[in-house]
Amino acid sequence: MKKVILILALCLMGGVALQAQTQKKHEKQEVVKLKNGHRVRGKIVTYAPLDSLVIQEDDGTLQTIYWDRIKQITKEDWQPQQSMGSDFTPGKGPQKGYRGFFDLEFYKSIDAQSRNHFGFSTAHGYQLKPYLFVGAGAGMKISHKQHFKDNFGQKADFYMFPVFADIRLDLLKNRYSPYLDFRVGYTLGNKAYGIMFNSSLGCRVGLTDKLAMNISLGYSMQSTDIVVRTYGENAIKHLDYKPDYPNFQNDPYHCLSFKLGVEF
């Protein structure tokens, strides 16, 4: 008996859905034709003549489309919305395919032995999903005469050349989107080198289909060999040349990271 009731309920639900589908086919819907050939079907709910419009698709998804991408707006017989693949939608959010980044970076020390440093990085990869980017990159960072003197009595710069894997999560598909970025890799350098990790929380502002600005704040850890020099009862840690002091240990740098960049 229960099976019969279940079958009847499924048939009733299917009939209701079919009736709704048939009714829609006799309705008109607004169609936004884009310059790249795509069409977005639904109901326009917000209309800003100098900026953009918002259209609601059949599944309830709201799409913001900017006027510089629109070719024509018409009304046509109802049709299902054509997918752009993997839920990618027109707009100024991340699009499927190649994605590249260039960032200017500043690192603020948050422990006793690390020092402020600055630099740049570039990452390149592929946007697999609307929310997921996977890639790899490299960069250069420098601390300008801010650490302790070497054994020649000179304050020398130190350089870092990180190579890393990059995973980025864009939390929205819109023009404005918060994002999380994770970089893990290895750094080569004259004083600070070894495993590196950087996590960032930022905001993306889409300018075109591919071009966008990014700004972020994060945490950075950089493995490095720290010399421990003992003065009486005090042990002082700082960077120096390893051959001169046998008593050294691996103590990571801990910094806040600030990044301003562009993606293309």
Side-chain angles (χ1 to χ4, degrees), residues 197-218:
F197 171 78
N198 182 238
S199 61
S200 300
L201 172 64
C203 180
R204 176 188 185 274
V205 181
L207 304 176
T208 67
D209 283 350
K210 291 293 184 181
L211 188 64
M213 298 293 294
N214 296 288
I215 185 169
S216 69
L217 171 66

Side-chain angles (χ1 to χ4, degrees), residues 91-122:
K92 296 183 179 179
Q95 300 298 308
K96 186 175 183 179
Y98 166 79
R99 199 174 175 195
F101 302 88
F102 180 84
D103 295 309
L104 298 176
E105 305 171 344
F106 175 74
Y107 295 84
K108 173 65 177 176
S109 168
I110 56 175
D111 61 20
Q113 60 265 16
S114 61
R115 296 294 181 265
N116 298 342
H117 49 285
F118 60 92
F120 65 89
S121 67
T122 181

Side-chain angles (χ1 to χ4, degrees), residues 34 118 127 157:
L34 306 181
F118 60 92
Q127 190 74 21
D157 299 341

Side-chain angles (χ1 to χ4, degrees), residues 5-232:
I5 295 175
L6 179 60
I7 293 172
L8 290 176
L10 292 174
C11 291
L12 180 61
M13 293 171 62
V16 171
L18 180 61
Q19 183 179 3
Q21 187 94 342
T22 304
Q23 184 178 359
K24 279 188 174 183
K25 289 183 179 180
H26 297 288
E27 295 178 354
K28 296 285 187 180
Q29 65 179 172
E30 292 167 308
V31 179
V32 180
K33 299 179 181 179
L34 306 181
K35 294 177 182 179
N36 61 7
H38 291 296
R39 297 186 178 196
V40 184
R41 298 175 176 273
K43 179 181 179 182
I44 296 176
V45 294
T46 303
Y47 192 96
L50 299 179
D51 183 35
S52 61
L53 61 82
V54 178
I55 186 169
Q56 184 176 31
E57 299 179 46
D58 292 334
D59 63 358
T61 302
L62 295 175
Q63 299 294 342
T64 300
I65 307 177
Y66 295 87
W67 283 107
D68 59 355
R69 304 188 69 249
I70 297 174
K71 180 179 180 181
Q72 187 181 12
I73 301 175
T74 62
K75 281 196 173 184
E76 300 179 2
D77 293 335
W78 181 89
Q79 292 182 18
Q81 173 65 46
Q82 295 181 351
S83 173
M84 296 179 66
S86 302
D87 291 332
F88 283 90
T89 53
K92 296 183 179 179
Q95 300 298 308
K96 186 175 183 179
Y98 166 79
R99 199 174 175 195
F101 302 88
F102 180 84
D103 295 309
L104 298 176
E105 305 171 344
F106 175 74
Y107 295 84
K108 173 65 177 176
S109 168
I110 56 175
D111 61 20
Q113 60 265 16
S114 61
R115 296 294 181 265
N116 298 342
H117 49 285
F118 60 92
F120 65 89
S121 67
T122 181
H124 305 266
Y126 197 84
Q127 190 74 21
L128 299 174
K129 298 285 184 180
Y131 306 106
L132 177 62
F133 165 85
V134 176
M140 175 181 176
K141 294 182 284 188
I142 181 174
S143 179
H144 183 59
K145 297 183 179 180
Q146 290 188 356
H147 61 283
F148 290 93
K149 295 179 181 180
D150 59 29
N151 66 321
F152 298 106
Q154 300 296 320
K155 286 188 175 181
D157 299 341
F158 73 85
Y159 302 90
M160 293 177 282
F161 302 92
V163 180
F164 52 85
D166 191 2
I167 296 177
R168 172 163 162 156
L169 303 175
D170 292 276
L171 305 182
L172 298 175
K173 295 185 287 184
N174 301 331
R175 179 182 185 183
Y176 301 96
S177 173
Y179 66 84
L180 295 171
D181 187 68
F182 303 95
R183 295 179 174 183
V184 180
Y186 192 88
T187 296
L188 302 174
N190 62 338
K191 291 182 180 294
Y193 44 86
I195 300 298
M196 59 81 64
F197 171 78
N198 182 238
S199 61
S200 300
L201 172 64
C203 180
R204 176 188 185 274
V205 181
L207 304 176
T208 67
D209 283 350
K210 291 293 184 181
L211 188 64
M213 298 293 294
N214 296 288
I215 185 169
S216 69
L217 171 66
Y219 162 77
S220 177
M221 185 279 290
Q222 172 62 58
S223 177
T224 184
D225 286 324
I226 301 294
V227 175
V228 181
R229 302 180 67 179
T230 302
Y231 300 90

